[in-house]
């Protein structure tokens, strides 16, 4: 007897897990909403394995992510909505449609992908917005960049970098004014959001992924703060036992070491 193809074995496994009588009690009661956070988490773990250049981990994390797809597809099959095969057929058809330069008689597809996507969105809705289809669950920085890219494609964008930077200055000024006026939490949050959105616009114009830039900044902060802790530990102290001046001095020393190492 031939071995069951791996994807078929995985689909059967999920059907068994979801069985209300003989399956796993936890898996059997899950819904799209309860599983969605795990799906997002697994996607991030895939990205983390890639960032660490760990191919063994990537293989495992891709399996975990595939399980999420199978989980959602099985729940949809139970509801009579769609199944894994229709998901696979759908994405295959979409890739054919969006690559006419590869699978059809179209010309070079550079720049055509988004135009094809826009036509597909318009076909799905009576009143299609240029911003339709930007997922709500995306990280806020990534979603801001995608919204800005969509708006820019229809001409709603600052004319140049100078105007984009001026918007950052404007939003920073409004935040300072709100703080000085003793604005409430809602007003302050709105001004902070406006400032972050303007900063994302700068990153977009520079061709920088703001999400990755902030991740890199987080890593840098951890690295330099750890240097503060190490420096204090050598003196028999902890951060809570030291002054801001001491910690700032160790921070600046860590910065200097990094710059010297980068220049060597």
């Amino acid at each position: 007897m031939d071995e069951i193809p791996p994807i078929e074995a995985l689909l059967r496994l999920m059907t068994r897990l979801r069985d209300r009588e003989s399956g796993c009690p936890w898996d059997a009661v899950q819904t799209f909403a309860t599983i969605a956070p795990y799906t997002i988490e697994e996607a991030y773990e895939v990205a983390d394995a890639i960032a660490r250049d760990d191919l063994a981990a990537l293989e495992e994390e891709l399996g975990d992510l595939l399980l999420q797809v199978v989980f959602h597809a099985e729940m949809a099959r139970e509801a009579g909505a769609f199944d894994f095969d229709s998901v696979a057929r759908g994405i295959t058809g979409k890739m054919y449609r969006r690559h006419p330069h590869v699978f059809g008689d179209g010309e070079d597809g550079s720049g055509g992908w988004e135009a094809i996507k826009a036509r597909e969105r318009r076909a799905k809705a009576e009143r299609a917005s240029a911003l339709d289809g930007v997922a709500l669950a995306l990280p806020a920085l990534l979603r801001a960049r995608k919204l800005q890219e969509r708006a820019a494609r229809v001409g709603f964008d600052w004319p140049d970098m100078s105007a984009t930077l001026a918007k950052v200055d404007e939003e920073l000024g409004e935040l300072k004014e709100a703080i000085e006026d003793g604005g409430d939490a809602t007003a302050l949050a709105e001004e902070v959001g406006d400032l972050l959105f303007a900063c994302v616009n700068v990153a977009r114009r520079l061709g920088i992924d703001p999400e990755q830039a902030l991740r890199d900044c987080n890593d840098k902060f951890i690295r330099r703060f750890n240097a503060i802790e190490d420096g204090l530990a050598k003196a028999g102290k902890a951060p809570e036992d030291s002054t801001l001046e001491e910690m700032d001095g160790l921070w600046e020393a860590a910065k200097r070491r990094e710059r010297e190492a980068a220049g060597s």
Side-chain angles (χ1 to χ4, degrees), residues 86-107 109 112-114 116-117 119-120 124:
S86 65
V87 170
R89 281 195 299 271
I91 188 59
T92 301
K94 182 187 293 185
M95 291 300 100
Y96 273 111
R97 289 194 306 276
R98 294 185 179 177
H99 293 83
H101 54 295
V102 176
F103 302 109
D105 298 325
E107 298 178 357
W113 174 277
E114 291 300 334
I116 295 171
K117 285 174 65 176
R119 287 198 296 271
E120 291 176 354
K124 290 180 181 179

Side-chain angles (χ1 to χ4, degrees), residues 127-142:
R127 179 192 171 279
S129 167
L131 305 181
D132 285 350
V134 179
L136 286 168
L138 286 174
L141 290 177
L142 176 56

Side-chain angles (χ1 to χ4, degrees), residues 150-162:
R150 292 281 187 87
R153 278 198 287 271
V154 296
F156 190 72
D157 196 9
W158 297 110
D160 51 35
M161 178 59 80
S162 177

Side-chain angles (χ1 to χ4, degrees), residues 155-197:
F156 190 72
D157 196 9
W158 297 110
D160 51 35
M161 178 59 80
S162 177
T164 307
L165 289 170
K167 186 62 177 175
V168 173
D169 291 338
E170 175 189 329
E171 296 300 348
L172 180 59
E174 291 182 4
L175 175 59
K176 290 178 178 179
E177 185 177 327
I179 293 171
E180 290 169 0
D181 291 344
D184 60 23
T186 300
L188 291 172
E190 181 177 351
E191 297 299 343
V192 169
D194 290 345
L195 178 59
L196 289 172
F197 195 83

Side-chain angles (χ1 to χ4, degrees), residues 6-238:
I7 189 62
E8 181 61 30
L10 181 58
L11 293 169
R12 292 185 187 184
L13 177 146
M14 182 53 65
T15 299
R16 177 66 188 279
L17 289 175
R18 288 280 296 173
D19 189 283
R20 297 298 192 273
E21 295 181 359
S22 61
C24 170
W26 186 87
D27 291 286
V29 299
Q30 299 309 305
T31 66
F32 295 115
T34 61
I35 290 298
Y38 296 102
T39 307
I40 295 170
E41 179 182 341
E42 295 301 348
Y44 274 115
E45 291 184 0
V46 166
D48 180 68
I50 293 170
R52 291 184 287 106
D53 196 24
D54 188 338
L55 294 183
L58 178 59
E59 179 183 25
E60 180 178 352
E61 297 303 344
L62 285 172
D64 291 343
L65 185 58
L66 177 59
L67 179 66
Q68 296 298 307
V69 176
V70 168
F71 208 139
H72 286 287
E74 173 61 19
M75 290 187 289
R77 186 194 66 79
E78 294 166 3
F82 58 82
D83 60 13
F84 183 86
D85 285 348
S86 65
V87 170
R89 281 195 299 271
I91 188 59
T92 301
K94 182 187 293 185
M95 291 300 100
Y96 273 111
R97 289 194 306 276
R98 294 185 179 177
H99 293 83
H101 54 295
V102 176
F103 302 109
D105 298 325
E107 298 178 357
D108 175 56
S110 59
W113 174 277
E114 291 300 334
I116 295 171
K117 285 174 65 176
R119 287 198 296 271
E120 291 176 354
R121 285 194 298 270
R122 286 195 295 271
K124 290 180 181 179
E126 294 180 6
R127 179 192 171 279
S129 167
L131 305 181
D132 285 350
V134 179
L136 286 168
L138 286 174
L141 290 177
L142 176 56
R143 189 161 189 259
R145 190 192 74 188
K146 285 184 173 293
L147 290 170
Q148 292 168 3
E149 288 172 344
R150 292 281 187 87
R153 278 198 287 271
V154 296
F156 190 72
D157 196 9
W158 297 110
D160 51 35
M161 178 59 80
S162 177
T164 307
L165 289 170
K167 186 62 177 175
V168 173
D169 291 338
E170 175 189 329
E171 296 300 348
L172 180 59
E174 291 182 4
L175 175 59
K176 290 178 178 179
E177 185 177 327
I179 293 171
E180 290 169 0
D181 291 344
D184 60 23
T186 300
L188 291 172
E190 181 177 351
E191 297 299 343
V192 169
D194 290 345
L195 178 59
L196 289 172
F197 195 83
C199 289
V200 170
N201 229 344
V202 172
R204 176 182 65 85
R205 280 191 165 273
L206 292 172
I208 293 170
D209 178 355
E211 194 74 28
Q212 184 60 53
L214 186 56
R215 279 197 292 268
D216 292 343
C217 185
N218 289 340
D219 291 342
K220 180 171 63 177
F221 180 84
I222 292 170
R223 192 169 61 245
R224 291 179 181 174
F225 190 80
N226 286 343
I228 291 175
E229 293 175 316
D230 291 343
L232 291 173
K234 290 176 181 177
K237 301 174 71 173

